[in-house]
Amino acid sequence: MRWGNENIRYVFTPMERWIPLFLESIGYSAWERIFQRPEGYPYYHWLHTLDGEGRFELFGDTFRLTKGKGVLLTPFTPHSYYPTSDRWATIYLTFGGAAAPAIMESLGMNTSIFYEEGDDHSFDELFHELLLRIERSQSLSDIEVSSDLYHFLMQLRKFGMMNDGPSLSQYYRKLAPILNWMEQHMADNIGLQEIADYANIGIHSLHELFQQAFDMSPYSYFLQLRLREAKRIMLQHPHMALREVAEQTGFNDVSHFVATFRKKEGITPGKYRELHLTADLTDRVQEKAE
């Protein structure tokens, strides 16, 4: 992607204040300048290097922003930055919204943090797609822009390497063989030690991998797999006894299955099946009536 020598900048004022996440500005700086913001910026601010190099001062430390590296700042975070090469080209966006802190918190991104592109993704291509949509249709509603912004943040969370650590996508690739093995042995009486033995790593390392990728323990993930499979079986085989469902999904007995299902889902397996089968029956009656 060739960005050229002309700056690009769009600034938005959200007309629909109820929108939980809105874009405040987006742009491309062909020749990034010196900025000093002792009181920070009033919105979340993402800045990414396309070419050249800059220095970013944050919390009393100085960081190099070379090609493929960027930073995400929370609102009102004091900072400054300046070019250290003849040309420092950057892309950036700022955003806010009533639900922005909650969204960023849920993504594990509600802190000022440095990012780097992984080998499997290019942020400038993703950013260019977002910018093109805005350029081609400046009549885009706040809702459409908000949706595009949310997609961008999800991709940044998935593919961005935070503070020199692996990206989520890299964790997923590393875990893929383990996850496939877990699905194949869902009905077996296995625990953490068997999973760690298959992965050829220690239980502590296995736990860290799952926490980083899914924000849950390997056991919790395995339990979710079993419950998902139990739901599928119950709906595809509405007359199958819960004892058989429990056996096919690796639970010790039917009472353990029912107690676990109720704790995680808030209702019993029987009630879950009843609600879905009632909905299916209602849909069929309506289809016949039409």
Side-chain angles (χ1 to χ4, degrees):
M1 169 64 201
R2 296 180 63 87
W3 285 88
N5 294 317
E6 298 296 327
N7 292 341
I8 302 171
R9 179 175 174 82
Y10 292 96
V11 180
F12 301 86
T13 301
M15 304 303 293
E16 299 162 289
R17 288 292 177 179
W18 56 267
I19 291 179
L21 187 69
F22 63 80
L23 188 65
E24 191 259 344
S25 71
I26 182 172
Y28 159 67
S29 294
W31 305 85
E32 189 59 85
R33 298 170 294 152
I34 299 173
F35 280 92
Q36 294 183 340
R37 296 188 175 119
E39 297 181 358
Y41 194 76
Y43 296 97
Y44 288 92
H45 180 199
W46 179 75
L47 178 73
H48 181 82
T49 299
L50 286 177
D51 195 21
E53 180 179 324
R55 289 288 192 278
F56 202 96
E57 295 182 354
L58 180 68
F59 304 135
D61 293 322
T62 302
F63 304 87
R64 296 174 62 208
L65 287 187
T66 54
K67 184 176 181 179
K69 293 185 178 182
V71 61
L72 175 67
L73 298 172
T74 53
F76 300 107
T77 299
H79 65 276
S80 63
Y81 54 93
Y82 52 91
T84 54
S85 59
D86 291 340
R87 180 184 182 186
W88 182 28
T90 66
I91 48 180
Y92 62 89
L93 56 82
T94 59
F95 61 94
I103 292 171
M104 299 302 284
E105 188 70 35
S106 66
L107 293 174
M109 297 168 64
N110 200 25
T111 182
S112 297
I113 197 165
F114 288 89
Y115 282 82
E116 185 174 0
E117 291 178 342
D119 296 334
D120 51 1
H121 210 74
S122 173
F123 289 142
D124 65 320
E125 292 179 5
L126 182 65
F127 186 90
H128 186 248
E129 292 174 5
L130 174 59
L131 196 60
L132 275 181
R133 279 178 53 80
I134 294 172
E135 287 178 342
R136 290 171 179 171
S137 179
Q138 294 189 39
S139 62
L140 279 175
S141 72
D142 291 341
I143 297 175
E144 290 174 303
V145 175
S146 177
S147 176
D148 290 339
L149 171 60
Y150 182 77
H151 173 72
F152 179 86
L153 292 174
M154 291 292 288
Q155 297 300 299
L156 180 62
R157 179 66 181 96
K158 181 177 180 181
F159 295 105
M161 298 189 297
M162 296 187 292
N163 287 348
D164 298 324
S167 67
L168 282 181
S169 63
Q170 290 170 329
Y171 279 118
Y172 294 157
R173 284 201 303 273
K174 191 169 185 178
L175 281 169
I178 304 173
L179 304 183
N180 291 334
W181 185 85
M182 291 168 72
E183 294 217 24
Q184 294 168 8
H185 294 79
M186 199 179 307
D188 299 340
N189 183 22
I190 60 175
L192 285 180
Q193 189 59 59
E194 287 79 10
I195 300 172
D197 288 344
Y198 170 78
N200 197 29
I201 58 176
I203 289 179
H204 179 72
S205 297
L206 181 70
H207 184 84
E208 284 191 339
L209 277 175
F210 274 82
Q211 284 294 143
Q212 291 291 341
F214 303 110
D215 196 26
M216 66 175 67
S217 69
Y219 176 77
S220 295
Y221 183 91
F222 201 28
L223 199 60
Q224 294 291 353
L225 278 183
R226 286 171 162 165
L227 291 175
R228 185 187 68 187
E229 178 65 7
K231 292 178 182 179
R232 185 191 68 79
I233 293 174
M234 285 192 295
L235 297 185
Q236 289 191 356
H237 305 280
H239 302 295
M240 180 180 289
L242 293 181
R243 175 184 55 79
E244 293 184 64
V245 177
E247 289 176 355
Q248 292 189 23
T249 51
F251 289 93
N252 295 331
D253 51 51
V254 68
S255 60
H256 179 220
F257 170 54
V258 172
T260 303
F261 195 100
R262 180 164 47 194
K263 180 180 179 180
K264 295 294 185 179
E265 302 294 330
I267 57 176
T268 64
K271 185 63 176 178
Y272 174 86
R273 181 154 58 183
E274 176 187 331
L275 289 172
H276 282 270
L277 292 178
T278 301
D280 290 343
L281 179 60
T282 302
D283 290 341
R284 288 196 294 269
V285 170
Q286 290 178 343
E287 288 174 2
K288 289 182 179 180
E290 293 173 355

